[in-house]
Amino acid sequence: MEETNRSESNVAKVHRQLGRCLIRLQQYEKLLKALIAESNISATLSTLPEVKEARANAVSRQTLGQLFGIATETIFRKAGDAEANCNETGPDMPLKEAWLSMKWSVELDRVRYEDLLLRFRRLVDARNMLVHHLLDEHDLATNEGCASALELLNESYALIDREMAQLQQMARTSTNARHMLASFVSQHPEVLAGQLQIELLEGHPLVRSLQHAEQALAQDGWTRLEDAFAFLRKHHPDETPKRYGFGSWRHVLHESPVFTTRKERKLNREIALLWYQTTEPTKV
């Protein structure tokens, strides 16, 4: 009788530890889904709630393994890899209200990126063991089986909790960044009124696109804008001046302090050819 009571007590401990692990896993999955959904948002002010809800719904039914696959294509990137194109494109016509676009990701060197993939695989394996194979591997009808199950559950919880702590740190950083952006917008209402002058400095998507074309097409340090058009349409189809409130690529070059321009007039042309070059010696 005493042996039976002891066995039942051990089984109850296994149940409690298993429940603790599964709740922590669900907390981890919930936070990861939120980070993925919030990592890339593009919408007008009026459509923002609807877009956020659609992105949350898109990941709500994904398994942990599927979430890791999405995360390694969106919020985690290996240094040197080309950034994935954003599925959300900017407006192709003038807007009557503010358009907001926010995207963030974490760039890791090769060693840290491969370590991340290994940690993801371990977490998926731990989850599958707890959900599908715990009873196959550990006989809860015996004290020995309960003891080995408890050892596994303690190790699993420690693993899940470590990963949760790292994800929470990332979430705090993301939340702080959003709060800083919200604070800036609240102090500068002209942003929402569409009156803020967009600075076309180094790192702006339009500037990077023009510099990419320049790197490929420059002749004696100068790039003809007409030659850059086809290159930009092929390699940067989503980056258009209208998306950022500019009328044309000529307008971008005129407004950006990053570039120097010169005009070349031809007798048989009404409009002068426009050439440009980056004023700084280092090109992106």
Side-chain angles (χ1 to χ4, degrees), residues 33-143:
K33 288 174 181 177
L35 286 173
I36 292 173
E38 295 283 348
S39 68
N40 186 353
I41 297 289
S42 296
T44 60
L45 287 181
S46 62
T47 61
L48 183 58
E50 164 186 344
V51 169
K52 291 180 67 175
E53 182 180 1
R55 287 190 58 82
N57 289 338
V59 297
S60 63
R61 299 295 182 183
Q62 302 296 319
T63 66
L64 184 61
Q66 290 170 330
L67 289 173
F68 286 152
I70 297 172
T72 53
E73 294 176 356
T74 53
I75 60 178
F76 298 104
R77 296 192 300 112
K78 184 167 63 174
D81 284 357
E83 185 172 1
N85 288 331
C86 174
N87 291 329
E88 323 280 355
T89 59
D92 14 359
M93 62 182 63
L95 289 169
K96 296 182 180 179
E97 61 177 319
W99 171 274
L100 304 177
S101 183
M102 183 190 74
K103 182 176 183 179
W104 64 269
S105 61
V106 179
E107 185 176 276
L108 304 171
D109 60 35
R110 182 184 60 82
V111 173
R112 293 181 64 194
Y113 185 80
E114 291 177 355
D115 177 66
L116 176 72
L117 297 181
L118 179 60
R119 284 165 39 210
F120 280 170
R121 285 194 292 270
R122 286 174 177 166
L123 200 54
V124 170
D125 289 343
R127 184 261 180 199
N128 290 340
M129 170 59 74
L130 297 178
V131 174
H132 299 295
H133 307 298
L134 181 66
L135 297 183
D136 295 332
E137 301 290 334
H138 305 274
D139 183 3
L140 301 189
T142 67
N143 289 328

Side-chain angles (χ1 to χ4, degrees), residues 204-220:
H204 190 284
L206 296 181
V207 171
R208 291 203 307 265
S209 298
L210 285 167
Q211 289 179 322
H212 188 197
E214 180 182 7
Q215 191 176 49
L217 304 173
Q219 305 173 33
D220 297 326

Side-chain angles (χ1 to χ4, degrees), residues 157-201:
Y157 185 84
L159 169 65
I160 300 165
D161 198 50
R162 282 197 305 272
E163 295 301 326
M164 184 65 174
Q166 295 206 27
L167 203 62
Q168 286 173 327
Q169 179 58 49
M170 182 181 298
R172 283 191 289 269
T173 302
S174 173
T175 299
N176 291 339
R178 289 200 300 273
H179 287 168
M180 291 174 64
L181 177 60
S183 175
F184 172 80
V185 171
S186 67
Q187 296 173 33
H188 299 276
E190 66 272 20
V191 173
L192 298 183
Q195 300 168 353
L196 186 67
Q197 177 64 42
I198 299 176
E199 294 190 31
L200 292 164
L201 303 177

